[in-house]
Amino acid sequence: MEQCPLSSKDDIVKELALLYARKKLSLTGLGEVAKLIKRLGHDIPTYPTTILKTTNTPIRSRNFHHFSLKKSLLGKLKKGMINKESTIIKIQVNIDGTQIFKTNSIDLWPILGRVINSLDALPFVISVFVGKGKPPNLEEYLRPFLEELMALQSEGLECMGITYSIEMSSFVCDAPARAFLKVITAHTGYFGCERCNQKGVYDTVYHCTTFPEVTDVSLRTNTSFRAQLNKQHHKGFSPLLELKIDMISCFPLDYMHLVLLGVFKRLLTIWTG
């Protein structure tokens, strides 16, 4: 059987990954399409994790637990915390990691939710991972949350005879967590800016990457992000691409890294010499 050249093989794998993102294929569906193409004579990988360039390290069940987004929302509705005059529930999600103890490297990575149009602004836990470092498998970490959210968005949430529609407002994360979730270059990289396509400049004085151009630059868009037009910005394909969200505007930039650890830190250095 004639094998396709390496360049053609890479092109097919890239197109498969883009197809997964654009058409919101399941991992099983992606694998089946890859197997079909391989049967037609093209020597390409058939494992979805290989095609998407994501890790296949499993998350042990004892290190991960999904609590349920639906139950938390129903609890707020039954307590009257969500205005019944509106049938839209707007959800904000926070994902970040924190070290539990100073004496070891065990981290806690919760997925937290908050209803922004609720009388009760307290967050609730959707899922949680506990282990050394960040979750080793992003797909497995996000999958229960994504499947539940997409089902709620498709079918709605019924409570006391009223059907509510679910809207994803934003993902509130710090810069390292956003890079992890979106599978992109870190904010310290040359193509790490999440708002424009310019290549950064390394500042040898402050030892950081800066993006000095503020006028003559092309901005990132949801379309360009999903098509991965700026290849140096992407490190793979995020499971979040399955959601009907804007991959740029739905990820607000965080105050801590931009101001407290950025501008203000530099100002303090200048002021204090």
Side-chain angles (χ1 to χ4, degrees), residues 65-97:
H65 183 74
H66 180 66
F67 290 91
S68 175
L69 170 62
K70 183 177 180 179
K71 288 182 180 179
S72 297
L73 295 178
L74 285 174
K76 287 185 176 291
L77 285 169
K78 291 176 180 178
K79 291 178 181 178
M81 292 298 176
I82 299 178
N83 190 350
K84 294 183 179 179
E85 294 180 0
S86 173
T87 58
I88 299 175
I89 298 177
K90 298 181 179 181
I91 301 174
Q92 188 178 72
V93 170
N94 168 259
I95 301 177
D96 200 0

Side-chain angles (χ1 to χ4, degrees), residues 3-271:
Q3 303 295 324
C4 61
L6 182 61
S7 59
S8 298
K9 171 184 173 180
D10 290 344
D11 290 342
I12 293 174
V13 171
K14 176 68 181 297
E15 287 300 317
L16 277 175
L18 290 174
L19 182 68
Y20 165 81
R22 291 168 181 164
K23 300 300 182 181
K24 299 180 176 59
L25 296 179
S26 65
L27 290 178
T28 302
L30 177 62
E32 291 299 320
V33 173
K35 290 176 182 177
L36 174 61
I37 294 176
K38 188 166 186 175
R39 287 199 297 269
L40 293 175
H42 299 286
D43 185 19
I44 64 169
T46 56
Y47 289 103
T49 51
T50 304
I51 296 171
L52 300 176
K53 299 179 182 179
T54 56
T55 176
N56 57 3
T57 304
I59 292 180
R60 296 180 181 178
S61 58
R62 64 184 177 88
N63 290 355
F64 176 81
H65 183 74
H66 180 66
F67 290 91
S68 175
L69 170 62
K70 183 177 180 179
K71 288 182 180 179
S72 297
L73 295 178
L74 285 174
K76 287 185 176 291
L77 285 169
K78 291 176 180 178
K79 291 178 181 178
M81 292 298 176
I82 299 178
N83 190 350
K84 294 183 179 179
E85 294 180 0
S86 173
T87 58
I88 299 175
I89 298 177
K90 298 181 179 181
I91 301 174
Q92 188 178 72
V93 170
N94 168 259
I95 301 177
D96 200 0
T98 182
Q99 192 170 350
I100 303 177
F101 306 106
K102 294 183 179 179
T103 56
N104 59 35
S105 57
I106 301 299
D107 289 349
L108 179 72
W109 278 79
I111 300 177
L112 303 177
R114 186 174 78 94
V115 179
I116 62 175
N117 58 333
S118 169
L119 301 176
D120 174 15
L122 293 176
F124 50 87
V125 180
I126 300 173
S127 300
V128 64
F129 166 81
V130 179
K132 290 187 177 181
K134 60 188 178 184
N137 188 315
L138 181 61
E139 162 67 31
E140 196 172 335
Y141 172 62
L142 293 176
R143 182 51 50 192
F145 159 65
L146 290 179
E147 289 187 350
E148 191 175 18
L149 176 59
M150 288 188 290
L152 288 172
Q153 289 181 323
S154 174
E155 303 167 7
L157 177 64
E158 186 175 349
C159 181
M160 295 180 285
I162 303 175
T163 300
Y164 296 86
S165 60
I166 309 299
E167 289 186 3
M168 189 65 227
S169 172
S170 60
F171 284 86
V172 179
C173 317
D174 66 7
R178 288 197 308 275
F180 171 58
L181 294 173
K182 297 170 72 175
V183 195
I184 58 175
T185 300
H187 65 287
T188 55
Y190 283 121
F191 290 92
C193 181
E194 296 179 58
R195 292 297 185 264
C196 70
N197 294 302
Q198 70 171 299
K199 181 179 180 180
V201 177
Y202 185 74
D203 190 320
T204 56
V205 176
Y206 294 99
H207 305 290
C208 63
T209 303
T210 62
F211 302 89
E213 296 295 333
V214 294
T215 54
D216 189 22
V217 292
S218 60
L219 300 179
R220 299 194 191 281
T221 64
N222 183 49
T223 301
S224 67
F225 184 95
R226 290 177 178 272
Q228 296 198 354
L229 298 184
N230 184 197
K231 296 180 180 179
Q232 297 94 329
H233 182 62
H234 298 270
K235 300 175 69 176
F237 290 84
S238 170
L240 296 178
L241 290 168
E242 297 181 36
L243 298 177
K244 295 179 180 179
I245 60 173
D246 190 310
M247 292 297 293
I248 306 299
S249 63
C250 275
F251 291 83
L253 304 180
D254 64 296
Y255 168 73
M256 182 179 73
H257 280 82
L258 286 178
V259 180
L260 298 182
L261 298 179
V263 177
F264 196 72
K265 182 180 179 181
R266 180 173 295 190
L267 288 175
L268 283 177
T269 303
I270 295 173
W271 292 338

